[in-house]
Amino acid sequence: MTAVFNRLTLFILLCAFVAPVAVYHIAHHMLLRAEQDQLQQNLSLTDRAIVTEIDRFRALPRILGQDARIRALSHDTSPQNIALANHYLETIVKQVGPSDLYVLDHDGKTLAASNYATPQSFVGHDYSFRPYFLDALSQGEGRFYAIGVTTRKPGYFLSSRIDLEGRPPIVVVVKADLTPLEAAWKAAGVKTAIADEAGLVFLAGDPQWRYRPLHRLDAGTLDQLLQERTYDGIDLENAQPIFKATDGSFPDDDRQAAIRLDGEQRLVTLSSTIQPDGWKVIAATDASQASASASLWALATLASGLMISAGFYVMDQRRQLIAMRLRQGELLEQMVAERTSDLACEVAIRKRTEEELRRTQEGLVHSEKMAALGRMSAAIVHEVSQPLAALDATLATAGLLASRHAQEEVGLRLEKARGLVRRMQRTVKHLKTFSRKDVSDMERVCVETVIDNVVELAAPRVNSLGLSVDVTGKTPSPTVMAVPVKLEQAMLNLLLNAVDAVADRPDPEIRIEHRHGLDWVEIAIVDNGSGIAPDLRERVLEPFFTTKLTGEGLGLGLSIAAIIIKECGGAIRFAEAKAGGTRATISLPVADRPETSLEAAQ
């Protein structure tokens, strides 16, 4: 199945690259054919327009020759007759619309003209060299397109010979202005032009084509145009051909389309011939539009082919993906079963690991408590041995007094002995409670009680150095959630560190301050010892970091204290005390905080 899809995709992809070439040529041919049809219509309309414009004035010379005022000029050229003829010709021009009307004698000299009153009057000028005059004398009629030698305006000259019995003939000439056709051609958007029999364009919608040959003129044709002064004032010798072609000529068969170059522009051209003058009418349009449209069709074909190829490719990929997913489903079920078994083993291992870590942490906490007790061992032994010695002496005294029957004195000595026993029991009770390992339940704890227990635990050590701990603060403080023994351990570690810091001071001072707000409690242990260097304050809470001499501590006291306080939702921070030394502050949240305080804290 995959091989079939691949072959089909390759076939479509091949067609996607071959089809645009075929589409381009087909579309280009069809578009050129459409442009040729359009040119054909434009050419037919142009031919009819030219013939219609010329036919308006074709019979006018012969009609004017029947007027008595014109015929009288053959034998009477008096000023009165000439004035009448001039006025008549001027009136005809205003009413009918030709450019000029004038009458020539049999020698080609102008007798009367419609423009007699203008600076460019034809009257008195000799036009015997013009072909239209020579043709009229020899053939009866003449026609000729040229630039006027007097007015310098181009026009189509139509002439007729008027024969008078017994008198010399005269020639009546009409000059028609065909230049309005150029404006219509320019507005049509199609390049249209008329060339004479010699191939020189004399009317064109594009001004750049006017008075340029369709092909290079030969010497004989050029000499004839110069002698007849057809295009008087135009530099025909240097005029460049309009089209670049092999021979520059147009096909003999009219209305046969051809592709020609006008400079760098490719044009589709079509021509026709107007008789009897043999004029060539040319219509042309830009061939690049057909090429551009054909290119768009080819590009659209290429894009469609690529999209279809991509569609087949995507379908094949999707089919393969579905098959692969079906195969993977079975593998996945097998992998899930295997992974489930592995996860069960991992969960069991993780639980054992977590339990070992918990026991290890509790062991470290207990070890640190034992280390703290070890640090106070000498003071504790002194605290216990001193009451024991006193108890021994008191009981001995009580025995002597009993032998003397001094019962009252014996009672006092026994009461004193009981006080010493209670003192030792209290000390042992605190030590037993502090050294317990399995206490981990959180409960509401009174801050003042914790402070009192910590002071009492540290009393043997504090008293052995001759110190006293000053406790100040606002009471009663709110309760906090904590494990009492762990909270005492954290605070005791901080207090013992303060005792060690002031042990060598001449004026040692330690105080515990506590204060509280609506949702927090702060307990600060302040000493005037050597303090903690600023660069070490961030490290003192790291495990196994210590500034004491080797063997004086595990380096876990402050780290464990920080863990305990964090479990209670609080934090420990260190700062320099005002009188020097260290200020260690424990911040704890209140157990029952007001709702407003909780919202403010959030």
Side-chain angles (χ1 to χ4, degrees):
M1 191 67 178
T2 301
V4 174
F5 262 90
N6 290 338
R7 287 195 293 270
L8 185 59
T9 302
L10 288 175
F11 175 74
I12 295 175
L13 190 61
L14 180 62
C15 292
F17 286 99
V18 174
V21 179
V23 169
Y24 174 83
H25 289 290
I26 294 173
H28 189 258
H29 177 74
M30 293 178 63
L31 291 170
L32 285 180
R33 174 58 63 184
E35 290 184 350
Q36 292 171 16
D37 293 342
Q38 184 65 37
L39 286 178
Q40 183 69 48
Q41 296 178 8
N42 291 335
L43 199 60
S44 299
L45 293 174
T46 301
D47 290 348
R48 286 196 293 270
I50 295 171
V51 172
T52 301
E53 187 68 18
I54 292 174
D55 286 346
R56 288 177 56 203
F57 307 107
R58 189 174 295 278
L60 187 58
R62 187 164 298 281
I63 294 173
L64 291 176
Q66 304 305 315
D67 190 272
R69 287 165 289 190
I70 301 302
R71 299 174 70 88
L73 294 177
S74 64
H75 63 278
D76 185 2
T77 56
S78 64
Q80 292 81 3
N81 275 348
I82 291 176
L84 289 174
N86 286 337
H87 182 69
Y88 174 64
L89 294 175
E90 182 182 29
T91 302
I92 295 300
V93 166
K94 292 179 179 179
Q95 293 179 354
V96 179
S99 177
D100 294 298
L101 291 172
Y102 53 101
V103 180
L104 305 178
D105 62 13
H106 65 282
D107 293 324
K109 184 178 180 181
T110 305
L111 299 175
S114 60
N115 63 352
Y116 71 94
T118 66
Q120 298 175 333
S121 172
F122 295 159
V123 177
H125 287 275
D126 184 2
Y127 297 111
S128 59
F129 63 92
R130 287 295 200 185
Y132 63 80
F133 173 74
L134 298 175
D135 291 343
L137 287 180
S138 61
Q139 302 175 13
E141 289 185 349
R143 59 186 60 82
F144 186 64
Y145 190 91
I147 296 177
V149 296
T150 303
T151 62
R152 297 297 178 186
K153 295 179 179 180
Y156 186 52
F157 298 88
L158 297 170
S159 61
S160 293
R161 186 187 67 204
I162 307 301
D163 295 320
L164 302 170
E165 187 177 354
R167 298 191 185 99
I170 59 175
V171 177
V172 180
V173 182
V174 176
K175 182 181 180 182
D177 184 11
L178 300 182
T179 55
L181 293 173
E182 293 181 327
W185 296 340
K186 186 175 182 180
V190 177
K191 289 179 177 288
T192 307
I194 305 177
D196 59 17
E197 288 183 306
L200 190 76
V201 173
F202 59 85
L203 283 177
D206 185 354
Q208 295 182 356
W209 281 18
R210 193 181 300 122
Y211 305 126
R212 289 175 59 190
L214 298 176
H215 54 82
R216 191 167 294 280
L217 301 176
D218 57 53
T221 302
L222 187 61
D223 289 340
Q224 181 181 353
L225 292 174
L226 293 176
Q227 289 176 7
E228 294 175 354
R229 300 176 69 183
T230 306
Y231 302 104
D232 195 43
I234 303 300
D235 185 8
L236 298 180
E237 295 180 356
N238 296 319
Q240 296 297 320
I242 295 174
F243 299 114
K244 293 180 181 179
T246 304
D247 56 1
S249 62
F250 274 80
D252 295 333
D253 185 10
D254 285 340
R255 304 188 184 279
Q256 180 178 344
I259 302 293
R260 300 182 180 276
L261 290 176
D262 178 9
E264 299 298 328
Q265 188 178 24
R266 297 177 71 252
L267 298 175
V268 181
T269 61
L270 204 65
S271 64
S272 64
T273 302
I274 297 180
Q275 298 298 342
D277 300 285
W279 289 351
K280 185 77 71 174
V281 182
I282 304 101
T285 186
D286 191 356
S288 62
Q289 296 179 358
S291 300
S293 298
S295 298
L296 289 176
W297 277 100
L299 185 60
T301 303
L302 177 62
S304 300
L306 292 176
M307 289 178 64
I308 294 173
S309 301
F312 271 89
Y313 179 77
V314 170
M315 287 174 60
D316 181 49
Q317 292 297 313
R318 183 177 180 83
R319 185 191 59 78
Q320 294 183 26
L321 183 61
I322 292 173
M324 182 180 65
R325 286 181 177 176
L326 291 175
R327 291 194 303 269
Q328 287 179 344
E330 299 175 358
L331 295 175
L332 186 60
E333 290 179 0
Q334 182 179 355
M335 291 173 62
V336 167
E338 294 176 356
R339 185 56 180 162
T340 301
S341 177
D342 293 341
L343 286 175
C345 295
E346 290 180 6
V347 169
I349 293 172
R350 179 168 295 183
K351 286 182 177 179
R352 288 197 299 269
T353 303
E354 290 177 353
E355 182 64 24
E356 290 176 1
L357 287 175
R358 185 183 62 79
R359 287 198 298 266
T360 301
Q361 183 178 0
E362 290 179 354
L364 287 174
V365 173
H366 186 69
S367 297
E368 181 58 28
K369 287 197 290 185
M370 295 300 102
L373 291 177
R375 292 164 62 187
M376 299 186 299
S377 60
I380 292 172
V381 170
H382 176 74
E383 187 71 13
V384 174
S385 61
Q386 188 179 22
L388 284 174
L391 178 60
D392 181 63
T394 302
L395 290 176
T397 304
L400 290 175
L401 292 174
S403 64
R404 296 176 184 176
H405 303 287
Q407 295 180 359
E408 185 176 353
E409 291 295 331
V410 171
L412 291 175
R413 292 292 184 270
L414 290 177
E415 186 63 31
K416 184 176 181 181
R418 289 182 63 192
L420 292 172
V421 171
R422 285 195 296 270
R423 176 181 172 185
M424 288 185 292
Q425 285 178 337
R426 189 166 55 252
T427 301
V428 172
K429 179 183 178 183
H430 282 302
L431 292 176
K432 285 177 64 179
T433 302
F434 182 73
S435 61
R436 275 193 301 174
K437 186 177 181 181
D438 56 350
V439 179
S440 60
D441 293 334
M442 300 279 283
E443 58 184 72
R444 286 182 173 81
V445 178
C446 177
V447 173
E448 284 91 345
T449 302
V450 173
I451 294 174
D452 292 341
N453 291 340
V454 168
V455 172
E456 192 166 354
L457 278 171
R461 170 73 170 160
V462 172
N463 295 335
S464 66
L465 297 177
L467 302 176
S468 63
V469 178
D470 185 16
V471 179
T472 61
K474 182 180 179 183
T475 58
S477 294
T479 58
V480 297
M481 293 300 295
V483 179
V485 174
K486 288 186 176 182
L487 183 56
E488 290 177 7
Q489 179 181 353
M491 198 178 301
L492 180 62
N493 282 336
L494 295 177
L495 180 56
L496 291 179
N497 282 344
V499 171
D500 293 339
V502 300
D504 298 329
R505 296 285 295 180
D507 54 345
E509 180 182 343
I510 298 176
R511 68 180 182 275
I512 298 177
E513 303 173 354
H514 61 91
R515 60 192 185 96
H516 63 271
L518 292 176
D519 55 357
W520 52 267
V521 176
E522 282 189 356
I523 305 166
I525 300 174
V526 185
D527 64 69
N528 62 346
S530 57
I532 303 174
D535 57 334
L536 299 179
R537 289 176 187 164
E538 298 296 328
R539 300 188 58 195
V540 292
L541 297 179
E542 296 178 4
F544 304 106
F545 178 81
T546 180
T547 58
K548 298 178 181 179
L549 297 177
T550 304
E552 292 188 7
L554 300 177
L556 294 173
L558 293 180
S559 175
I560 291 175
I563 293 173
I564 292 172
I565 299 303
K566 187 175 182 181
E567 290 177 353
C568 299
I572 298 177
R573 62 180 183 274
F574 295 92
E576 184 179 357
K578 293 182 180 179
T582 304
R583 182 183 184 91
T585 304
I586 298 174
S587 298
L588 294 170
V590 173
D592 297 318
R593 287 181 287 181
E595 194 67 26
T596 55
S597 299
L598 288 173
E599 293 176 357
Q602 292 174 354

